[in-house]
Every structure is written in structure tokens, then in C-alpha cells.
Amino acid sequence: MPDGVESVRDALIRLVDDAHCDLVLTTGGTGPAPRDLTPEGTEAACDRMMPGFGELMRRRGLDQVPTAILSRQTAGLRGKALIVNCPGRPSSIRVSLLAVFPAIPYCLDLIGAARIETDPAVVQAFRPT
């Protein structure tokens, strides 16, 4: 999708409201450049924000590069959907998703989304007993 608050917002709303996606992952548009407006579009589409996702993704990114502090990853809830903004570089996406994905299945459980399972050989989901 093209960069822009409205285009990101509208695409996310369509994915959640019309396509009934319970989990939406975006990549790119999270930097400080003027065109990087994915977080603003995400916030405009969400009912509530989940700042811990972005905090953890940046923290893990700092283990790789000092410029991770420039990234503005975030996450939020729209109805019973979780939207997570990842950075744009494939290596950074991997680091970010490995950091937060263990919490995603339980988050989806808590908000009433469809249940997902993970392959423990790839990533272990954490669900409290």
C-alpha cells in the first residue's frame, strides 16, 4: 500500500472489518522519514494501542544496530484483531517477530480472536496456565 496515514488506516480497517483478519502484520514505514506514516495510520485504525510490542521490538533491535531507536514500531487492537507494525528490513523483521511472537497467541486469546498455534521448533507461544 502507498505511504500515508489515510491509506494505511483504510487498508487496516478493510483487513480487519471486511476480510475479518484477526492478526495483521505490517512491514516498513516505521522510521523517522517524512513518508514513514505507518504508526500514525495504525493508531488511527485502532481502538487501543499496545505499546509493549514496539518497546520490545526496539529493545531487541538495539542488540543488532544502534539505529533501532529510530524505528517507531507499534501495535494496537481493533475489535478482536491485533495489528503489529514491524520494521522494513527483512533481518529486522525477523528479530522483531521472534521477540514479540511468543505473546501474540495469548493476546489473541484474550481479545477473543481465533486461536492460533505455533510450531515449537520455530517459536514457542507462551500461554499462562
Side-chain angles (χ1 to χ4, degrees):
M1 79 186 76
D3 292 320
V5 175
E6 294 83 12
S7 59
V8 170
R9 179 199 64 212
D10 294 348
L12 294 173
I13 290 171
R14 281 192 308 275
L15 286 168
V16 174
D17 294 1
D18 300 338
H20 307 289
C21 295
D22 288 347
L23 175 61
V24 178
L25 304 173
T26 69
T27 61
T30 61
R35 71 179 186 282
D36 293 333
L37 298 171
T38 300
E40 287 79 8
T42 299
E43 190 167 343
C46 289
D47 306 315
R48 294 184 290 163
M49 299 307 294
M50 302 290 292
F53 283 87
E55 293 164 6
L56 180 56
M57 288 188 279
R58 278 185 294 282
R59 191 180 79 185
R60 291 289 170 83
L62 283 170
D63 293 340
Q64 309 296 312
V65 294
T67 54
I69 62 170
L70 300 177
S71 193
R72 300 178 312 116
Q73 299 104 311
T74 192
L77 305 174
R78 179 176 180 82
K80 61 177 188 163
L82 172 63
I83 300 167
V84 180
N85 298 154
C86 296
R89 294 186 52 192
S91 61
S92 299
I93 295 167
R94 178 175 171 72
V95 168
S96 294
L97 285 180
L98 286 174
V100 299
F101 209 88
I104 288 177
Y106 185 54
C107 180
L108 294 174
D109 292 348
L110 290 172
I111 63 175
R115 184 176 176 89
I116 63 169
E117 298 295 336
T118 61
D119 179 348
V122 178
V123 63
Q124 296 251 337
F126 178 79
R127 285 186 167 103
T129 54

